[in-house]
Amino acid sequence: MNAESETDRDARKPPAGVAVVVIGYDDAAHVTDAVRSALAQGPAVREVVAVDDCSTDGSAGLLDRLAASEPRLRVIRRRANSGGCGTPRNTGLDAVTSPYVMFLDSDDVLPPGAVDALLEAAEGAHAEVAGGLCVRRELPSGREVPWQARLYALHAVVPHPARRPRLVHDTLCVNKLYRTGFLRAHGIRFPEGRFPYEDVVFTARVLAAAPRIALVPDRVYVWHVRRSAGRLSISLDRSGVENWRARTEACRQAYEVLLGAGQKKLARAVRAKFLDHDLRMYVRELGLRDAAYRRAWWELTRAHLAEYDADDWARNPAAPGRLIGRVVLASPEPGDLLRLRELAARPARLCPPYARAADGTPVWSDALPVSLEPLRARPVRALPLAVDAELRPCARGTRLRLRLRLRLRLRLHELYGRVAQAGPESVEAEWLHRDDGGVVVRDTAVPLAPCPSGSEPAGTAGSEAVVLAQGPEPAGRAGSRAVALAQGGAEPAGAEPAGIVALGPCAQGSEPAGTTGSVRGGAWSAEVAVDLAALSALGAGTWDLRLRIRFRDGVSRDVSAHALTGAGLLRRSAVPSVRHGVVLVQPYATHSGALALRVAPGVRGVLSVARARLRRLLH
């Protein structure tokens, strides 16, 4: 008798089964879509366990009706609302009978092929965990942003999490498949009750158990972001300081879980991730909050950062998050919010003034001498370069052939002599479509010229200078707001009362140590013509500005630009167009202070702007 081939045995082997746990609370509008996306994965999904967390909107009835025609669906109703996501996930985990389990939220979906991709990776690598790419889909625009794309760029097998510390950055539990027996053997569960950011702690518990992990570049989860929803998700609702308290507590517990399991390298990575991701994200929004929030946030943050030790601060000491953390820790009260916001931007921008201690050491400011010495050793391609930008629309050509153009004035600041040392030569501007990052309008690179000593910054006249508020603004003032000093030092109506500094004119005597001649002013400027016709050809949309600065040794640095906000700037303009009749152009500063541009061509574009404005007024 011939021996049975391995292929024949595999063909008759029943496929490994996957359970998908779907949790929901008062989400009748979306929960059945989530469940159907799990059932549509095919035979690899053996069961779908839908846990209704005591909904009051009829969600459970919708699920019961769906289960009546779908034998793979089981509905579990909790008798009392848990207040969070951890308890219903634990309820579902206890109920599954399949070898593998996944988690799905009621307002999200699994894309076609997600389960097959993860299951094949886990089985092929004999891995306890398999993870794939999650995309954040902004609704209603449909814009998609990959989550932790670097981690899932290629197929990979990680035999131990410590081999890939970047894993701590992906704190989601929903874009992964877990071996059920692995979770149960190690007692890995979610925090119970109302515990925001429960997946941060759950992920730390998974990594602490040292699983073998398979990574795939496939899209396996679509995270729907509904910012206009009546009830924002926990991660989106950051208006109250309790959200920040919960996030710091989750990060603290994640650190303790990993450290307690002997995973010191991963525990350090958790703290590094907090500085690079969490801290920077909230600092960018801090200027939008009121004074009470800022004080409470500052106190919580300083208490959390006080737990860090010297080794935590020594890792990549010039990274923006670490510089921000050290400034916050050194200052007992909120301050320098706008400069911190710029440093928290992506890419980071360290705006003037560039203070020095008595011995010449670069420091944050004269009032707060936190050392910035690590910047001297940071490669120029990673420096937090500051570029100011102003954008003015203009029309060129004849009446018969009008060309729509934008004039973009740029000013690159010196940074403790490092920029002059590298020798900036040219800058290339590109505009990225906000809703479709694959659409880019590029402009020809133009030379960067040293500013003559004593020249004014772009968009100013006489002795005017655009300024940046040093201290916290009064309650209710937007953090992105800036003012201009009128000639002679008088403040315009509504200006910040005190604590302001010039944002980068090429003033005499401001040159960095060791530079002479053409760079005495400590800045370089360029003017770029932007083709508005190319932007408006795609219809109404928002465009983000990115710049690529090239240096004489061939190194380049991609940066964003700080939007100048002086008199006459960031003003909506109606530009005549032969093709569209009119194009509305609105330059503005994002939450991080970067320059962006809204374009609305034609009557339809004008109406879309009017409707959007009306919606904001009504809501």
Side-chain angles (χ1 to χ4, degrees), residues 109-150:
V109 294
L110 297 179
V115 171
D116 285 338
L118 292 173
L119 182 58
E120 181 180 354
E123 291 277 280
H126 303 288
E128 288 82 20
V129 179
L133 184 66
C134 167
V135 294
R136 289 167 52 105
R137 180 181 292 166
E138 299 271 354
L139 296 176
S141 70
R143 176 196 181 203
E144 292 190 350
V145 179
W147 170 261
Q148 296 298 327
R150 285 173 50 194

Side-chain angles (χ1 to χ4, degrees), residues 332-369:
E333 297 291 336
D336 288 334
L337 297 187
L338 294 185
R339 284 189 79 206
L340 288 172
R341 179 201 66 183
E342 299 282 330
L343 188 55
R346 294 188 183 275
R349 301 182 297 270
L350 180 58
C351 291
Y354 302 125
R356 293 178 183 269
D359 61 358
T361 301
V363 293
W364 177 255
S365 68
D366 293 334
L368 199 66

Side-chain angles (χ1 to χ4, degrees), residues 13 16-18 99-102 114-132 155-158 175-180 182 211-216 218 220:
K13 181 181 177 181
V18 175
Y100 294 94
V101 62
M102 292 181 65
V115 171
D116 285 338
L118 292 173
L119 182 58
E120 181 180 354
E123 291 277 280
H126 303 288
E128 288 82 20
V129 179
H155 287 273
V157 177
V158 184
N175 61 330
K176 300 176 183 71
L177 176 143
Y178 306 90
R179 193 182 293 274
T180 309
F182 163 77
R212 184 177 176 87
I213 301 175
L215 306 176
V216 300
D218 305 71
V220 302

Side-chain angles (χ1 to χ4, degrees), residues 416-442:
Y416 297 113
R418 295 298 313 284
V419 179
Q421 182 183 14
E425 291 188 335
S426 66
V427 59
E428 178 184 1
E430 63 179 24
W431 297 91
L432 286 70
H433 197 279
R434 177 72 59 81
D435 293 332
D436 186 351
V439 178
V440 180
V441 174
R442 291 185 176 87

Side-chain angles (χ1 to χ4, degrees), residues 291-558:
Y293 177 101
R294 293 174 187 174
R295 285 194 298 270
W297 184 95
W298 203 266
E299 183 179 350
L300 284 170
T301 306
R302 296 184 76 238
H304 183 71
L305 295 178
E307 300 173 3
Y308 284 34
D309 58 30
D311 287 341
D312 292 318
W313 297 111
R315 292 165 53 93
N316 197 5
R322 280 172 178 75
L323 296 180
I324 294 169
R326 289 170 56 215
V327 169
V328 172
L329 195 57
S331 179
E333 297 291 336
D336 288 334
L337 297 187
L338 294 185
R339 284 189 79 206
L340 288 172
R341 179 201 66 183
E342 299 282 330
L343 188 55
R346 294 188 183 275
R349 301 182 297 270
L350 180 58
C351 291
Y354 302 125
R356 293 178 183 269
D359 61 358
T361 301
V363 293
W364 177 255
S365 68
D366 293 334
L368 199 66
V370 174
S371 175
L372 302 182
E373 182 66 22
L375 289 175
R376 287 179 165 177
R378 195 167 178 84
V380 69
R381 65 178 179 274
L383 285 174
L385 301 180
V387 180
D388 296 336
E390 68 161 282
L391 189 65
R392 294 183 185 273
C394 62
R396 296 180 181 177
T398 67
R399 292 184 179 179
L400 296 177
R401 189 172 181 81
L402 190 66
R403 297 182 64 196
L404 303 182
R405 308 289 287 181
L406 294 173
R407 186 172 63 238
L408 179 64
R409 294 177 180 174
L410 304 171
R411 178 173 296 260
L412 167 65
H413 294 284
E414 180 56 273
L415 186 62
Y416 297 113
R418 295 298 313 284
V419 179
Q421 182 183 14
E425 291 188 335
S426 66
V427 59
E428 178 184 1
E430 63 179 24
W431 297 91
L432 286 70
H433 197 279
R434 177 72 59 81
D435 293 332
D436 186 351
V439 178
V440 180
V441 174
R442 291 185 176 87
D443 295 293
T444 305
V446 297
L448 278 163
C451 295
S453 181
S455 65
E456 295 81 29
T460 64
S463 61
E464 289 182 339
V466 178
V467 300
L468 188 66
Q470 285 279 69
E473 297 171 326
R477 296 288 297 276
S480 62
R481 196 167 296 173
V483 296
L485 284 181
Q487 190 167 357
E491 296 179 355
E496 298 298 337
I500 51 181
V501 294
L503 185 62
C506 298
Q508 286 183 318
S510 64
E511 62 271 12
T515 61
T516 58
S518 62
V519 294
R520 283 183 61 198
W524 294 257
S525 64
E527 187 169 303
V528 181
V530 182
D531 193 344
L532 181 55
L535 302 181
S536 59
L538 295 170
T542 300
W543 300 83
D544 293 304
L545 175 64
R546 291 291 183 271
L547 304 172
R548 178 162 297 160
I549 300 171
R550 299 189 185 278
F551 298 88
R552 61 171 166 252
D553 61 357
V555 172
S556 64
R557 170 66 165 134
D558 291 342

